[in-house]
Amino acid sequence: MGTGNTALVYHHGRLLALNEGDKPYALKVLEDGDLQTLGLMDYDKRLTHSFTAHPKVDPATGEMFTFGYQFTPPYVTYHVVTKEGYMLDPVPITIPEPVMMHDFAITENYAIFMDLPLYFRPKNMAKGKMVLSFDQTKRARFGILPRYAKDDVQIRWFELPNCYIFHNANAWEDGDEVVLYTCRFPDIDLEMASGPVRKRLGNYRNELWVAYPNTLSL
């Protein structure tokens, strides 16, 4: 059972409580302001994996765009939920290893996924370390996929300097450009929750990245 304590989203008349390690929980707000948990949402059993805490609802179409990640292939799966609340067929996203993908972004025509070198290393737990490990030797990259794609054949990957990104601020299209405005950590150490790491967290950078999906240039 998940915690449902990371974020809330409202879609198709339902208030959903989200945590990326589980499926969403449907909530009801009572007259006295209290919350009642109605149950776990699996979209008529079409959702078989976890559900990001940061889905995107398009105010123009009423659709919700979401994904989930897991420890076994396919490591990432993308979904579109119609404005009527129906979840379309899953789109597996091919990446080489399981990573923590906390957020993504959408534009009018694209979905943007982040394959960043914060890897799941279960063997670390036997050594008393965290299951997540940031690999400073690997390159980071993000992939741009037409947002109604039926598979990931059309995804285009763009490399950028090593980093981790928890959250994106915005994404949009400008002509043939796809623009992602994000908060980028050049280095991150999750082993420490205080002390030296807290000082290094001040080194995060708000950056604007522009990609040209038709020419594969950045």
Side-chain angles (χ1 to χ4, degrees):
M1 179 177 293
T3 55
N5 63 350
T6 303
L8 298 169
V9 68
Y10 188 78
H11 184 250
H12 187 235
R14 294 189 179 98
L15 179 64
L16 304 179
L18 307 173
N19 178 281
E20 65 195 80
D22 200 358
K23 299 179 179 69
Y25 288 85
L27 303 179
K28 180 180 181 180
V29 181
L30 304 178
E31 291 185 359
D32 61 1
D34 200 1
L35 295 175
Q36 177 185 356
T37 302
L38 300 179
L40 204 62
M41 289 281 296
D42 65 5
Y43 294 90
D44 295 324
K45 299 183 179 180
R46 296 181 68 81
L47 179 63
T48 60
H49 51 77
S50 63
F51 190 100
T52 179
H54 300 299
K56 314 301 178 187
V57 177
D58 187 331
T61 68
E63 298 163 308
M64 180 167 62
F65 300 82
T66 185
F67 74 95
Y69 64 82
Q70 56 192 23
F71 307 141
T72 57
Y75 298 123
V76 179
T77 305
Y78 171 57
H79 279 285
V80 179
V81 183
T82 68
K83 65 179 180 180
E84 294 81 17
Y86 179 75
M87 179 171 280
L88 302 182
D89 289 343
V91 179
I93 305 298
T94 304
I95 58 175
E97 296 186 71
V99 298
M100 179 182 176
M101 191 180 297
H102 185 68
D103 197 6
F104 80 135
I106 64 164
T107 66
E108 183 179 0
N109 295 292
Y110 298 100
I112 305 172
F113 301 91
M114 297 178 293
D115 181 14
L116 309 173
L118 186 59
Y119 297 108
F120 285 98
R121 300 286 188 246
K123 292 181 180 179
N124 285 353
M125 299 179 69
K127 304 174 184 178
K129 297 182 179 181
M130 290 190 64
V131 69
L132 291 165
S133 177
F134 184 74
D135 190 339
Q136 298 180 354
T137 68
K138 298 293 182 65
R139 297 280 289 183
R141 63 179 189 159
F142 60 88
I144 298 178
L145 179 73
R147 74 181 201 175
Y148 297 112
K150 302 300 183 184
D151 53 46
D152 69 348
V153 172
Q154 298 180 67
I155 199 166
R156 298 293 181 264
W157 291 102
F158 299 84
E159 288 193 348
L160 61 154
N162 194 316
C163 68
Y164 189 75
I165 296 168
F166 279 108
H167 299 111
N168 299 304
N170 203 355
W172 64 92
E173 296 170 41
D174 185 0
D176 61 351
E177 300 175 352
V178 176
V179 183
L180 177 66
Y181 187 51
T182 192
C183 181
R184 174 176 170 270
F185 290 86
D187 184 17
I188 188 166
D189 184 355
L190 297 181
E191 288 289 343
M192 296 177 288
S194 61
V197 72
R198 185 165 293 176
K199 297 178 182 178
R200 290 204 300 275
L201 289 180
N203 293 331
Y204 74 85
R205 303 168 184 171
N206 291 322
E207 296 186 347
L208 198 68
W209 290 88
V210 180
Y212 299 85
N214 293 328
T215 61
L216 297 182
S217 59
L218 183 66

